[in-house]
């Protein structure tokens, strides 16, 4: 498994594409001027507490107030409030928490009105970005994420990622971290810390402590509300959370970002610094790596897959619904159950990719093709769980119901990635058509089906623009068909056709139905 990170910069945004074996699996955009990313910490003011919701609305400088629920306060919020009061009034010079007196923990079933009041200053962290008409979701239980650990102030525990399975390794890491952990801070040991030495983890800890102290120094002069600690850049956060030996290439088309990422990779993995390269070519970077084509074919309502199967993805206010279809493909499966299993397994892989690619969150209901064999349903369930194991978003998958439905809940912390893939119809001023690149994929798929049937002389008729594209260059798409299938396809332009209209004819001049 090879992973590549491709970074494209423009005047107002930076796009990040994560590829796995050449397939686009994640797409992120960092836009200038958007100040509310997951992980950002703000010095904010309580607008008002609402006992009925057991929550408070908080002014963080966004057009809509942020939402802070009682359960997101953290048990030591009273200590944090006291710390902020002293820090903002310039009464604190030491921010290590070693000698800072802790207040009693709040009752986990208490009331927001007993803890917070209007105009009170506090530190909050964005846990969910503004979505639709809602402001950001906030927490006052702060956490600073590093490469190997997460630092949590106003607490005093050590915990280890559940993904580290070895009890011996868990004990080693816990013992190691307890020996270097500063008083007044909890430490969460991340999965990537497995097998690391104390020096690596201590270096990460010292970097986080510096970030904490630099943030605290700002509090006495910072306006309220204001951001006092920003999350790392999108590229750095992706690398911090996901970088491992499977990364084979990082390509960036911008000088400044190239330098930043190269320096960051040099810090977290010096032996991998050489995989970072500056892309300099007349061909746009997303075109070079085939990302534009994948975007056009992956973000529509219908998503085609290999062997003729396809997904239909519908969005409602409450949930996402995905329908699995086998299509009119021919296959050599012995019976319907085998066909259903094969299509479902292909679809599960694509669904896991689509959830990450579009960053779909909330409730997702997938209507797989019905299977009678319980072993097959179990096999599908395990395969879907395995395919989603790399997903950084928290998620839960329920086993298939007797109706063939699988329900998934996936953490939603930022707006869903939504890319318009339809384009203006050149034949009609106000109409829309699928992106032309999609039609090339459809023609390829249809031709494969026709050739499997054994048709000998095949003629393709298409709009002059599409016909010209299929015949241009070397190797042209038509030449590639000849190399792949050892059949020469005659292509005839038809002026009367709509832009995306095409037909296949046999040697007798009859239309071939696909």
């Amino acid at each position: 498994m090879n992973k590549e990170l491709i970074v494209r910069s423009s005047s107002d945004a930076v796009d990040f594409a994560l590829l796995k074996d050449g397939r686009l699996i994640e797409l992120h955009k960092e836009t200038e001027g958007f100040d509310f990313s997951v992980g950002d910490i703000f010095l904010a003011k309580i607008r008002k507490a609402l006992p009925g919701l057991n929550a408070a609305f908080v002014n963080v400088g966004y057009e809509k107030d942020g939402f802070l629920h009682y359960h997101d306060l953290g048990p030591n919020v009273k200590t944090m409030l006291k710390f902020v009061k002293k820090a903002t009034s310039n009464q604190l010079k030491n921010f290590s928490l070693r000698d800072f007196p802790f207040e009693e923990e709040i009752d986990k079933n208490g009331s927001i009105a007993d803890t917070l009041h209007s105009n009170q200053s506090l530190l909050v962290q964005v846990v969910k970005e503004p979505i639709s008409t809602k402001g950001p979701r906030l927490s006052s239980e702060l956490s600073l994420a590093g490469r190997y650990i997460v630092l949590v102030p106003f607490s005093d525990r050590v915990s280890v990622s559940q993904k580290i399975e070895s009890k011996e390794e868990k004990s080693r890491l816990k013992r190691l971290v307890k020996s270097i952990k500063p008083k007044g801070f909890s430490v969460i040991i991340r999965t990537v810390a497995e097998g690391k030495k104390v020096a690596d983890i201590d270096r990460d800890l010292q970097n986080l402590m510096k970030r904490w102290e630099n943030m605290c120094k700002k509090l006495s002069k910072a306006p309220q509300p204001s951001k006092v600690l920003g999350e790392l850049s999108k590229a750095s956060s992706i690398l911090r959370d996901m970088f491992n030996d499977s990364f084979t290439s990082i390509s960036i088309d911008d000088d400044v970002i190239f330098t930043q990422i190269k320096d960051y990779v040099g810090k977290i993995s010096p032996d991998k610094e050489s995989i970072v390269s500056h892309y300099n070519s007349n061909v746009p970077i997303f075109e070079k790596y085939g990302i534009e084509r994948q975007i056009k074919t992956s973000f529509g309502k219908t998503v085609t897959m290999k062997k003729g199967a396809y997904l239909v993805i519908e969005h409602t206010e409450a949930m996402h619904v995905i329908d699995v279809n086998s299509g009119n493909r021919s296959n050599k499966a012995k019976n319907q159950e085998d066909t259903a299993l094969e299509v479902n397994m292909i679809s599960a892989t694509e669904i896991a990719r689509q959830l990450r690619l579009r960053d779909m969150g909330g409730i997702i209901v997938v209507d797989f093709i019905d299977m009678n064999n319980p072993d097959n349903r179990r096999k599908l369930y395990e395969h879907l769980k395995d395919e989603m194991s790399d997903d950084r978003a928290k998620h839960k998958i329920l086993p298939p119901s007797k109706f063939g439905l699988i329900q998934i809940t996936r953490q939603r912390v930022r707006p869903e990635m939504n890319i318009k893939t339809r384009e203006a119809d050149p034949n009609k001023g106000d109409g829309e058509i699928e992106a032309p690149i999609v039609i090339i994929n459809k023609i390829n798929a249809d031709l494969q089906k026709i050739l499997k049937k054994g048709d000998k002389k095949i003629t393709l008729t298409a709009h002059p623009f599409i016909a010209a594209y299929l015949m241009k260059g070397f190797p042209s798409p038509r030449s590639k068909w000849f190399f792949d299938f050892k059949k020469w396809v005659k292509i005839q332009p038809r002026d009367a056709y709509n832009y995306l209209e095409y037909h296949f004819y046999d040697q007798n001049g009859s239309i071939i139905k696909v």
Side-chain angles (χ1 to χ4, degrees):
M1 179 181 69
N2 296 324
K3 285 183 181 174
E4 299 170 277
L5 181 65
I6 314 299
V7 183
R8 176 181 67 179
S9 178
S10 62
S11 59
D12 60 345
V14 181
D15 295 305
F16 305 88
L18 183 64
L19 307 181
K20 178 180 174 182
D21 295 331
R23 295 262 294 162
L24 181 65
I25 57 171
E26 286 191 23
L27 186 65
H28 302 276
K29 184 183 287 286
E30 194 173 62
T31 308
E32 264 187 38
F34 187 75
D35 287 334
F36 294 89
S37 298
V38 171
D40 289 347
I41 297 177
F42 287 79
L43 178 61
K45 272 193 177 292
I46 302 295
R47 182 87 73 181
K48 57 182 174 182
L50 300 174
L53 294 174
N54 208 16
F57 284 111
V58 182
N59 180 12
V60 288
Y62 189 67
E63 57 188 83
K64 297 273 187 180
D65 287 340
F67 184 80
L68 176 63
H69 195 273
Y70 183 83
H71 291 150
D72 294 322
L73 293 178
N76 289 300
V77 66
K78 288 183 179 179
T79 305
M80 189 266 282
L81 290 168
K82 183 179 176 182
F83 179 88
V84 171
K85 188 174 182 179
K86 285 182 175 291
T88 52
S89 59
N90 212 14
Q91 295 177 33
L92 270 182
K93 301 300 179 185
N94 182 4
F95 305 111
S96 68
L97 302 183
R98 178 180 296 278
D99 301 316
F100 193 83
F102 272 45
E103 301 292 310
E104 64 176 352
E105 295 186 358
I106 61 172
D107 181 0
K108 64 179 181 180
N109 297 315
S111 169
I112 195 88
D114 297 333
T115 309
L116 302 179
H117 55 77
S118 298
N119 293 320
Q120 199 170 16
S121 299
L122 80 167
L123 289 170
V124 292
Q125 189 166 28
V126 176
V127 294
K128 183 186 282 189
E129 293 176 12
I131 296 175
S132 185
T133 59
K134 298 176 182 177
R137 177 77 184 259
L138 308 170
S139 170
S140 58
E141 191 166 22
L142 311 177
S143 62
L144 284 73
R147 172 72 173 149
Y148 303 118
I149 61 172
V150 178
L151 192 67
V152 182
F154 310 109
S155 186
D156 202 15
R157 299 188 308 271
V158 174
S159 53
V160 186
S161 167
Q162 293 181 350
K163 291 185 178 179
I164 298 177
E165 297 177 354
S166 168
K167 290 183 179 179
E168 292 78 11
E169 180 63 5
K170 281 186 175 182
S171 298
R172 183 189 76 87
L173 288 170
K174 217 167 189 177
R175 190 169 58 251
L176 183 155
V177 169
K178 280 181 178 178
S179 67
I180 60 174
K181 183 186 78 66
K183 187 180 177 184
F185 291 85
S186 282
V187 172
I188 302 168
I189 303 168
R190 307 186 71 178
T191 309
V192 288
E194 189 170 7
K196 297 299 177 184
K197 297 177 181 178
V198 64
D200 297 322
I201 297 174
D202 186 55
R203 193 183 310 116
D204 202 27
L205 175 62
Q206 296 310 317
N207 287 337
L208 293 176
M209 285 301 297
K210 281 181 185 176
R211 293 188 72 201
W212 166 256
E213 289 176 8
N214 290 337
M215 181 196 79
C216 292
K217 287 175 183 176
K218 296 179 185 176
L219 297 180
S220 60
K221 297 178 181 178
Q224 300 180 32
S226 66
K227 185 195 292 189
V228 290
L229 183 65
E231 175 60 296
L232 296 174
S233 69
K234 188 68 74 174
S236 298
S237 64
I238 290 171
L239 293 172
R240 179 194 66 198
D241 295 343
M242 300 189 67
F243 191 82
N244 54 35
D245 290 339
S246 65
F247 271 78
T248 57
S249 170
I250 301 173
S251 299
I252 307 109
D253 67 354
D254 180 87
D255 290 332
V256 175
I257 300 174
F258 165 72
T259 304
Q260 291 173 350
I261 293 179
K262 193 172 181 66
D263 289 345
Y264 185 73
V265 172
K267 290 177 184 176
I268 65 173
S269 184
D271 58 321
K272 282 281 192 177
E273 191 175 351
S274 60
I275 71 171
V276 184
S277 62
H278 180 238
Y279 181 84
N280 189 9
S281 171
N282 293 329
V283 179
I285 190 168
F286 271 24
E287 294 278 356
K288 171 69 174 176
Y289 287 90
I291 296 168
E292 288 291 1
R293 174 187 290 267
Q294 294 192 55
I295 290 173
K296 293 284 189 183
T297 57
S298 298
F299 278 89
K301 177 181 173 182
T302 302
V303 179
T304 56
M305 299 177 291
K306 58 185 179 181
K307 299 192 176 180
Y310 64 95
L311 304 175
V312 177
I313 302 176
E314 299 273 9
H315 307 271
T316 71
E317 187 67 26
M319 66 176 68
H320 306 279
V321 181
I322 302 176
D323 185 37
V324 175
N325 295 273
S326 61
N328 56 354
R329 71 193 204 30
S330 60
N331 64 78
K332 299 177 181 178
K334 294 179 181 178
N335 54 52
Q336 188 175 353
E337 184 77 10
D338 291 344
T339 303
L341 177 61
E342 184 184 12
V343 172
N344 284 340
M345 297 290 269
I346 293 169
S347 301
T349 301
E350 181 62 26
I351 286 165
R353 171 178 173 260
Q354 286 290 328
L355 296 185
R356 290 176 69 181
L357 189 56
R358 304 184 188 215
D359 206 3
M360 292 163 62
I363 300 172
I364 301 113
V365 178
V366 186
D367 183 11
F368 284 100
I369 299 172
D370 289 350
M371 296 185 295
N372 297 319
N373 189 332
D375 290 337
N376 288 342
R377 292 199 293 268
R378 194 178 306 111
K379 192 182 294 185
L380 170 63
Y381 176 59
E382 294 300 329
H383 178 65
L384 181 58
K385 286 202 299 182
D386 185 56
E387 288 293 325
M388 290 189 66
S389 61
D390 286 340
D391 197 333
R392 289 182 293 162
K394 293 179 183 176
H395 59 271
K396 187 173 183 179
I397 308 170
L398 296 182
S401 71
K402 61 182 179 181
F403 300 116
L405 302 177
I406 285 185
Q407 299 171 68
I408 304 168
T409 58
R410 189 175 182 273
Q411 185 183 30
R412 187 183 187 189
V413 296
R414 57 182 61 86
E416 180 183 337
M417 179 67 72
N418 190 13
I419 294 177
K420 184 178 172 66
T421 58
R422 296 180 71 81
E423 300 178 2
D425 185 351
N427 297 306
K428 299 175 184 175
D430 56 350
E432 285 189 338
I433 58 170
E434 285 184 300
I437 199 68
V438 177
I439 204 66
I440 304 302
N441 289 347
K442 285 186 175 180
I443 290 173
N444 281 327
D446 287 350
L447 180 61
Q448 287 184 43
K449 294 175 191 173
I450 290 170
L451 291 173
K452 282 182 180 178
K453 294 177 183 177
D455 289 290
K456 293 182 180 178
K457 291 185 177 180
I458 300 169
T459 301
L460 169 64
T461 57
H463 187 280
F465 287 173
I466 301 297
Y469 175 82
L470 292 171
M471 293 186 287
K472 74 172 184 177
F474 186 83
S476 65
R478 179 168 63 172
S479 300
K480 290 180 182 176
W481 294 341
F482 180 75
F483 295 142
D484 291 341
F485 308 118
K486 305 298 184 286
K487 291 270 179 87
W488 187 253
V489 178
K490 185 178 180 181
I491 298 178
Q492 292 182 341
R494 288 285 185 265
D495 294 341
Y497 279 13
N498 291 327
Y499 192 48
L500 300 185
E501 183 180 355
Y502 67 91
H503 298 288
F504 286 100
Y505 289 86
D506 61 19
Q507 57 190 353
N508 299 319
S510 301
I511 289 182
I512 303 172
K513 292 184 179 180
V514 184

